[in-house]
Amino acid sequence: MSDIPIPEIVAELRSARRDWRLAQGRSLEPRGRDLPSREVLRALMADLHGLLFPMRLGPPELRQDAEDFYVGSALDQVLHTLAGQVRLELRHTARHAHLSPRETDARADHIVRQFAWSLPATRRLLDTDVLAAYHGDPAAHSVDEVLLCYPGVHAIINHRLAHTLHGLGATLLARLIAELSHGATGIDIHPGASIGGSFFIDHGTGVVIGETAVIGERVRIYQAVTLGAKRFPLDAAGQLKKGLPRHPLIEDDVVLYAGATVLGRVTVGQGATIGGNVWVTHDVPPGAHLTQAHAQGAAAEPASVSPSPSLIHGVSP
Protein backbone atom coordinates (compact mmCIF):
# COMPACT_ATOMS: atom_id res chain seq x y z
CA MET A 1 0.00 0.00 0.00
CA SER A 2 3.08 2.24 -0.21
CA ASP A 3 1.75 3.95 -3.36
CA ILE A 4 -1.19 5.58 -1.49
CA PRO A 5 -0.35 9.24 -0.69
CA ILE A 6 -1.25 9.17 3.02
CA PRO A 7 0.13 12.65 3.88
CA GLU A 8 -1.84 14.29 1.05
CA ILE A 9 -5.07 12.57 2.13
CA VAL A 10 -4.50 13.62 5.75
CA ALA A 11 -3.97 17.22 4.58
CA GLU A 12 -7.19 17.18 2.53
CA LEU A 13 -9.15 15.79 5.47
CA ARG A 14 -7.69 18.52 7.70
CA SER A 15 -8.80 21.09 5.13
CA ALA A 16 -12.31 19.63 5.04
CA ARG A 17 -12.56 19.77 8.84
CA ARG A 18 -11.35 23.36 8.87
CA ASP A 19 -13.88 24.41 6.21
CA TRP A 20 -16.69 22.77 8.18
CA ARG A 21 -15.69 24.42 11.46
CA LEU A 22 -15.42 27.83 9.84
CA ALA A 23 -18.82 27.43 8.15
CA GLN A 24 -20.41 26.39 11.47
CA GLY A 25 -18.73 29.14 13.50
CA ARG A 26 -16.69 26.63 15.49
CA SER A 27 -13.45 27.43 17.25
CA LEU A 28 -10.21 26.47 15.55
CA GLU A 29 -8.33 26.41 18.86
CA PRO A 30 -6.91 22.99 19.77
CA ARG A 31 -8.96 21.32 22.51
CA GLY A 32 -10.23 17.96 23.68
CA ARG A 33 -13.40 16.20 22.69
CA ASP A 34 -16.37 18.33 23.75
CA LEU A 35 -19.34 16.04 23.09
CA PRO A 36 -20.68 12.94 24.88
CA SER A 37 -19.26 9.59 23.85
CA ARG A 38 -21.33 6.79 22.34
CA GLU A 39 -18.89 4.23 23.73
CA VAL A 40 -19.16 5.60 27.26
CA LEU A 41 -22.96 5.73 27.06
CA ARG A 42 -23.15 2.15 25.77
CA ALA A 43 -21.24 0.90 28.83
CA LEU A 44 -23.27 3.20 31.07
CA MET A 45 -26.55 1.71 29.86
CA ALA A 46 -25.29 -1.83 30.46
CA ASP A 47 -24.46 -0.83 34.04
CA LEU A 48 -27.87 0.78 34.50
CA HIS A 49 -29.60 -2.39 33.27
CA GLY A 50 -27.54 -4.35 35.77
CA LEU A 51 -28.29 -2.19 38.79
CA LEU A 52 -32.00 -2.06 37.95
CA PHE A 53 -32.19 -5.86 37.54
CA PRO A 54 -29.07 -7.11 39.35
CA MET A 55 -29.87 -10.85 39.50
CA ARG A 56 -30.86 -11.03 35.83
CA LEU A 57 -28.85 -8.37 34.01
CA GLY A 58 -26.03 -7.81 36.51
CA PRO A 59 -22.71 -9.65 36.83
CA PRO A 60 -23.00 -13.44 36.33
CA GLU A 61 -21.19 -14.18 39.61
CA LEU A 62 -23.47 -11.95 41.72
CA ARG A 63 -25.19 -13.52 44.72
CA GLN A 64 -28.47 -12.26 46.12
CA ASP A 65 -26.97 -11.50 49.52
CA ALA A 66 -24.57 -9.08 47.81
CA GLU A 67 -27.19 -7.24 45.73
CA ASP A 68 -27.20 -4.04 47.77
CA PHE A 69 -23.42 -3.80 47.80
CA TYR A 70 -23.28 -4.28 44.03
CA VAL A 71 -26.11 -1.84 43.35
CA GLY A 72 -24.56 0.82 45.57
CA SER A 73 -21.14 0.44 43.99
CA ALA A 74 -22.53 0.38 40.44
CA LEU A 75 -24.79 3.35 41.13
CA ASP A 76 -21.91 5.44 42.43
CA GLN A 77 -19.88 4.70 39.31
CA VAL A 78 -22.83 5.25 36.97
CA LEU A 79 -23.69 8.63 38.46
CA HIS A 80 -20.06 9.77 38.33
CA THR A 81 -19.82 8.76 34.66
CA LEU A 82 -23.21 10.24 33.83
CA ALA A 83 -22.26 13.54 35.44
CA GLY A 84 -19.24 13.79 33.17
CA GLN A 85 -21.32 13.13 30.07
CA VAL A 86 -24.03 15.61 31.11
CA ARG A 87 -21.38 18.29 31.68
CA LEU A 88 -20.00 17.68 28.19
CA GLU A 89 -23.45 18.19 26.68
CA LEU A 90 -24.24 21.28 28.73
CA ARG A 91 -20.84 22.88 28.13
CA HIS A 92 -21.34 22.31 24.42
CA THR A 93 -24.76 24.01 24.44
CA ALA A 94 -23.61 26.70 26.91
CA ARG A 95 -21.77 28.44 24.10
CA HIS A 96 -25.19 29.44 22.74
CA ALA A 97 -27.00 29.80 26.08
CA HIS A 98 -24.29 32.04 27.57
CA LEU A 99 -24.08 30.02 30.80
CA SER A 100 -21.03 30.30 33.01
CA PRO A 101 -19.03 27.14 33.84
CA ARG A 102 -20.35 27.34 37.41
CA GLU A 103 -23.97 27.51 36.19
CA THR A 104 -23.36 24.64 33.77
CA ASP A 105 -21.86 22.39 36.44
CA ALA A 106 -24.64 23.21 38.91
CA ARG A 107 -27.25 22.33 36.30
CA ALA A 108 -25.46 19.06 35.49
CA ASP A 109 -25.38 18.12 39.18
CA HIS A 110 -29.11 18.84 39.45
CA ILE A 111 -29.89 16.63 36.43
CA VAL A 112 -27.84 13.72 37.77
CA ARG A 113 -29.35 14.04 41.26
CA GLN A 114 -32.91 14.02 39.88
CA PHE A 115 -32.09 11.11 37.60
CA ALA A 116 -30.73 9.11 40.55
CA TRP A 117 -33.89 9.70 42.60
CA SER A 118 -36.03 8.62 39.63
CA LEU A 119 -34.53 5.13 39.43
CA PRO A 120 -36.76 3.38 42.03
CA ALA A 121 -39.91 4.62 40.28
CA THR A 122 -38.43 3.61 36.92
CA ARG A 123 -37.79 0.09 38.23
CA ARG A 124 -41.41 -0.21 39.44
CA LEU A 125 -42.71 1.02 36.09
CA LEU A 126 -40.49 -1.42 34.23
CA ASP A 127 -41.89 -4.26 36.35
CA THR A 128 -45.30 -3.52 34.80
CA ASP A 129 -43.75 -3.69 31.33
CA VAL A 130 -42.10 -7.04 32.07
CA LEU A 131 -45.38 -8.47 33.35
CA ALA A 132 -47.23 -7.10 30.29
CA ALA A 133 -44.79 -8.93 28.02
CA TYR A 134 -45.12 -12.15 29.98
CA HIS A 135 -48.93 -12.09 30.11
CA GLY A 136 -49.22 -10.82 26.53
CA ASP A 137 -47.19 -13.53 24.82
CA PRO A 138 -48.26 -17.18 25.06
CA ALA A 139 -44.73 -18.18 24.00
CA ALA A 140 -43.23 -16.63 27.14
CA HIS A 141 -42.52 -19.25 29.82
CA SER A 142 -41.38 -16.90 32.59
CA VAL A 143 -40.77 -13.27 33.45
CA ASP A 144 -37.07 -14.14 33.54
CA GLU A 145 -37.18 -15.26 29.91
CA VAL A 146 -38.93 -12.02 28.95
CA LEU A 147 -36.34 -9.88 30.72
CA LEU A 148 -33.36 -11.79 29.34
CA CYS A 149 -34.52 -12.35 25.78
CA TYR A 150 -37.12 -9.88 24.53
CA PRO A 151 -35.79 -6.91 22.51
CA GLY A 152 -39.00 -4.99 23.20
CA VAL A 153 -38.32 -5.16 26.93
CA HIS A 154 -34.74 -3.96 26.50
CA ALA A 155 -35.95 -1.15 24.25
CA ILE A 156 -38.44 0.05 26.85
CA ILE A 157 -35.79 -0.10 29.62
CA ASN A 158 -33.61 2.13 27.51
CA HIS A 159 -36.51 4.39 26.62
CA ARG A 160 -37.64 4.95 30.19
CA LEU A 161 -34.11 5.95 31.20
CA ALA A 162 -33.65 8.15 28.12
CA HIS A 163 -37.09 9.74 28.60
CA THR A 164 -36.14 10.78 32.13
CA LEU A 165 -32.93 12.42 30.91
CA HIS A 166 -34.84 14.09 28.08
CA GLY A 167 -37.32 15.57 30.53
CA LEU A 168 -34.50 16.82 32.74
CA GLY A 169 -32.87 18.66 29.86
CA ALA A 170 -30.09 16.28 28.79
CA THR A 171 -31.66 15.91 25.36
CA LEU A 172 -28.54 15.00 23.40
CA LEU A 173 -27.62 12.22 25.85
CA ALA A 174 -31.19 10.96 25.68
CA ARG A 175 -31.10 10.89 21.89
CA LEU A 176 -27.77 9.07 21.85
CA ILE A 177 -29.14 6.43 24.23
CA ALA A 178 -32.22 6.04 22.03
CA GLU A 179 -30.09 5.54 18.92
CA LEU A 180 -27.84 3.02 20.66
CA SER A 181 -30.98 1.13 21.66
CA HIS A 182 -32.31 1.38 18.11
CA GLY A 183 -29.15 -0.17 16.76
CA ALA A 184 -29.26 -3.00 19.31
CA THR A 185 -32.97 -3.85 19.13
CA GLY A 186 -34.26 -2.57 15.79
CA ILE A 187 -36.84 -0.50 17.71
CA ASP A 188 -36.76 3.27 17.21
CA ILE A 189 -38.37 5.23 20.06
CA HIS A 190 -37.67 8.95 20.34
CA PRO A 191 -36.83 9.80 23.97
CA GLY A 192 -39.46 12.54 23.96
CA ALA A 193 -42.32 10.05 23.48
CA SER A 194 -44.50 9.60 26.57
CA ILE A 195 -45.39 5.95 27.29
CA GLY A 196 -47.64 4.66 30.07
CA GLY A 197 -47.16 1.54 32.15
CA SER A 198 -47.66 -2.10 31.15
CA PHE A 199 -46.35 -1.37 27.66
CA PHE A 200 -45.53 -4.37 25.45
CA ILE A 201 -43.73 -4.43 22.11
CA ASP A 202 -43.92 -7.96 20.67
CA HIS A 203 -41.15 -8.99 18.25
CA GLY A 204 -40.40 -5.31 17.71
CA THR A 205 -38.24 -5.08 14.58
CA GLY A 206 -39.06 -1.95 12.62
CA VAL A 207 -41.19 -0.23 15.27
CA VAL A 208 -40.99 3.58 15.07
CA ILE A 209 -42.45 5.90 17.73
CA GLY A 210 -42.09 9.63 17.16
CA GLU A 211 -41.04 12.41 19.51
CA THR A 212 -44.46 13.79 20.46
CA ALA A 213 -46.37 10.49 20.58
CA VAL A 214 -48.36 9.90 23.76
CA ILE A 215 -49.18 6.27 24.64
CA GLY A 216 -51.53 5.28 27.44
CA GLU A 217 -51.61 2.30 29.79
CA ARG A 218 -51.60 -1.37 28.76
CA VAL A 219 -50.90 -0.71 25.08
CA ARG A 220 -49.55 -3.55 22.95
CA ILE A 221 -47.86 -3.13 19.57
CA TYR A 222 -46.23 -5.52 17.14
CA GLN A 223 -43.37 -5.35 14.66
CA ALA A 224 -43.17 -2.65 11.97
CA VAL A 225 -45.74 -0.39 13.66
CA THR A 226 -45.20 3.31 12.98
CA LEU A 227 -46.52 6.17 15.10
CA GLY A 228 -45.36 8.99 12.88
CA ALA A 229 -46.01 12.51 11.63
CA LYS A 230 -48.26 13.20 8.66
CA ARG A 231 -46.80 16.52 7.56
CA PHE A 232 -44.02 18.91 8.53
CA PRO A 233 -45.07 22.59 8.68
CA LEU A 234 -42.55 25.24 7.62
CA ASP A 235 -41.92 28.65 9.16
CA ALA A 236 -41.77 31.94 7.26
CA ALA A 237 -38.16 31.25 6.32
CA GLY A 238 -39.03 27.87 4.85
CA GLN A 239 -37.45 25.93 7.72
CA LEU A 240 -39.11 23.03 9.52
CA LYS A 241 -40.94 24.05 12.69
CA LYS A 242 -39.45 22.10 15.58
CA GLY A 243 -41.25 20.57 18.57
CA LEU A 244 -44.85 20.86 17.35
CA PRO A 245 -47.23 18.08 18.50
CA ARG A 246 -47.36 15.96 15.34
CA HIS A 247 -47.55 12.32 16.44
CA PRO A 248 -50.51 10.17 17.53
CA LEU A 249 -52.26 9.93 20.88
CA ILE A 250 -52.81 6.25 21.72
CA GLU A 251 -55.27 5.75 24.57
CA ASP A 252 -55.36 2.91 27.12
CA ASP A 253 -55.73 -0.75 26.12
CA VAL A 254 -55.09 -0.24 22.40
CA VAL A 255 -53.58 -3.01 20.26
CA LEU A 256 -51.70 -2.19 17.03
CA TYR A 257 -50.85 -5.22 14.94
CA ALA A 258 -47.90 -5.74 12.62
CA GLY A 259 -47.35 -3.08 9.99
CA ALA A 260 -50.02 -0.69 11.27
CA THR A 261 -49.21 2.95 10.52
CA VAL A 262 -50.80 5.83 12.43
CA LEU A 263 -49.83 9.30 11.20
CA GLY A 264 -50.43 12.80 12.52
CA ARG A 265 -51.90 14.20 15.72
CA VAL A 266 -54.80 11.77 15.71
CA THR A 267 -56.34 9.86 18.61
CA VAL A 268 -56.79 6.10 18.69
CA GLY A 269 -59.53 5.64 21.28
CA GLN A 270 -59.43 3.44 24.35
CA GLY A 271 -59.67 -0.28 23.66
CA ALA A 272 -59.40 0.06 19.87
CA THR A 273 -57.67 -2.59 17.78
CA ILE A 274 -55.82 -1.66 14.58
CA GLY A 275 -55.22 -4.60 12.27
CA GLY A 276 -52.11 -5.51 10.33
CA ASN A 277 -50.95 -3.10 7.62
CA VAL A 278 -53.80 -0.64 8.21
CA TRP A 279 -53.04 3.02 7.43
CA VAL A 280 -54.68 5.51 9.83
CA THR A 281 -54.72 9.29 9.38
CA HIS A 282 -57.88 10.29 11.32
CA ASP A 283 -59.25 9.68 14.80
CA VAL A 284 -60.37 6.15 15.66
CA PRO A 285 -63.31 5.80 18.10
CA PRO A 286 -62.93 3.90 21.37
CA GLY A 287 -63.46 0.17 20.95
CA ALA A 288 -63.16 0.20 17.17
CA HIS A 289 -61.77 -2.87 15.37
CA LEU A 290 -60.16 -1.80 12.12
CA THR A 291 -58.82 -4.14 9.47
CA GLN A 292 -57.98 -3.67 5.83
CA ALA A 293 -61.23 -5.31 4.86
CA HIS A 294 -63.47 -2.88 6.77
CA ALA A 295 -63.54 -0.36 9.60
CA GLN A 296 -65.83 -1.75 12.28
CA GLY A 297 -67.06 0.79 14.76
CA ALA A 298 -65.77 3.73 12.71
CA ALA A 299 -68.93 4.54 10.78
CA ALA A 300 -68.69 8.17 11.82
CA GLU A 301 -65.49 8.50 9.82
CA PRO A 302 -65.39 5.62 7.30
CA ALA A 303 -62.63 7.30 5.31
CA SER A 304 -60.35 7.43 8.31
CA VAL A 305 -58.63 4.18 7.43
CA SER A 306 -57.05 3.50 4.08
CA PRO A 307 -55.62 0.07 3.25
CA SER A 308 -51.94 -0.16 2.46
CA PRO A 309 -50.88 -1.66 -0.90
CA SER A 310 -50.55 -5.09 0.71
CA LEU A 311 -53.34 -7.57 -0.01
CA ILE A 312 -53.11 -9.20 3.42
CA HIS A 313 -56.28 -8.78 5.49
CA GLY A 314 -57.02 -9.11 9.17
CA VAL A 315 -54.58 -8.94 12.01
CA SER A 316 -51.19 -10.38 12.79
CA PRO A 317 -51.04 -13.53 14.91
Side-chain angles (χ1 to χ4, degrees):
M1 307 294 286
S2 57
D3 57 333
I4 297 178
I6 298 295
E8 288 85 347
I9 296 172
V10 170
E12 288 297 323
L13 287 171
R14 182 176 65 250
S15 176
R17 294 194 305 272
R18 179 183 174 85
D19 291 345
W20 167 260
R21 289 165 182 163
L22 288 172
Q24 299 298 316
R26 305 288 176 86
S27 172
L28 297 180
E29 293 295 323
R31 59 186 181 187
R33 182 169 179 166
D34 61 353
L35 286 169
S37 164
R38 291 172 62 95
E39 293 73 21
V40 169
L41 288 174
R42 184 179 288 109
L44 182 72
M45 293 308 295
D47 289 341
L48 278 165
H49 283 222
L51 71 85
L52 284 169
F53 299 95
M55 296 306 298
R56 296 297 175 267
L57 304 180
E61 69 278 5
L62 183 64
R63 292 175 54 87
Q64 196 164 343
D65 55 4
E67 273 185 299
D68 282 351
F69 178 81
Y70 161 71
V71 169
S73 175
L75 182 59
D76 182 67
Q77 181 60 46
V78 160
L79 297 178
H80 177 78
T81 303
L82 179 62
Q85 295 298 297
V86 173
R87 288 191 185 98
L88 284 173
E89 174 177 345
L90 296 185
R91 287 171 185 171
H92 179 73
T93 58
R95 296 179 304 174
H96 308 290
H98 307 294
L99 295 175
S100 69
R102 178 178 293 181
E103 290 172 317
T104 299
D105 289 349
R107 187 177 171 195
D109 290 344
H110 173 76
I111 288 173
V112 172
R113 187 177 299 109
Q114 294 299 112
F115 179 80
W117 279 110
S118 76
L119 290 174
T122 298
R123 164 62 204 245
R124 292 182 184 279
L125 187 56
L126 287 168
D127 286 344
T128 72
D129 301 321
V130 171
L131 286 173
Y134 172 64
H135 292 304
D137 185 2
H141 294 94
S142 69
V143 291
D144 299 320
E145 177 187 354
V146 163
L147 187 56
L148 288 169
C149 302
Y150 281 38
V153 170
H154 286 260
I156 194 62
I157 295 173
N158 292 330
H159 173 73
R160 299 218 184 273
L161 294 167
H163 183 69
T164 299
L165 288 170
H166 188 274
L168 291 170
T171 55
L172 178 58
L173 257 65
R175 190 61 189 270
L176 283 167
I177 290 167
E179 291 307 320
L180 289 170
S181 179
H182 181 198
T185 66
I187 297 167
D188 184 359
I189 310 176
H190 193 284
S194 178
I195 301 177
S198 300
F199 182 59
F200 177 34
I201 304 174
D202 200 359
H203 304 296
T205 304
V207 165
V208 177
I209 300 175
E211 176 188 15
T212 62
V214 179
I215 299 175
E217 303 283 328
R218 300 174 300 280
V219 170
R220 176 160 45 107
I221 66 178
Y222 287 79
Q223 68 271 22
V225 165
T226 296
L227 304 180
K230 184 179 180 182
R231 59 177 61 89
F232 304 97
L234 304 178
D235 61 20
Q239 301 297 315
L240 287 177
K241 293 183 178 180
K242 304 284 187 176
L244 294 178
R246 60 196 182 278
H247 299 101
L249 306 174
I250 309 298
E251 295 187 345
D252 298 346
D253 302 302
V254 168
V255 179
L256 298 113
Y257 281 100
T261 298
V262 186
L263 299 181
R265 196 63 167 182
V266 301
T267 298
V268 178
Q270 182 174 357
T273 298
I274 309 299
N277 297 305
V278 170
W279 187 277
V280 180
T281 57
H282 293 82
D283 291 347
V284 175
H289 294 270
L290 305 181
T291 68
Q292 288 197 57
H294 49 71
Q296 300 172 4
E301 185 55 74
S304 65
V305 179
S306 302
S308 72
S310 170
L311 297 179
I312 300 175
H313 292 271
V315 295
S316 168

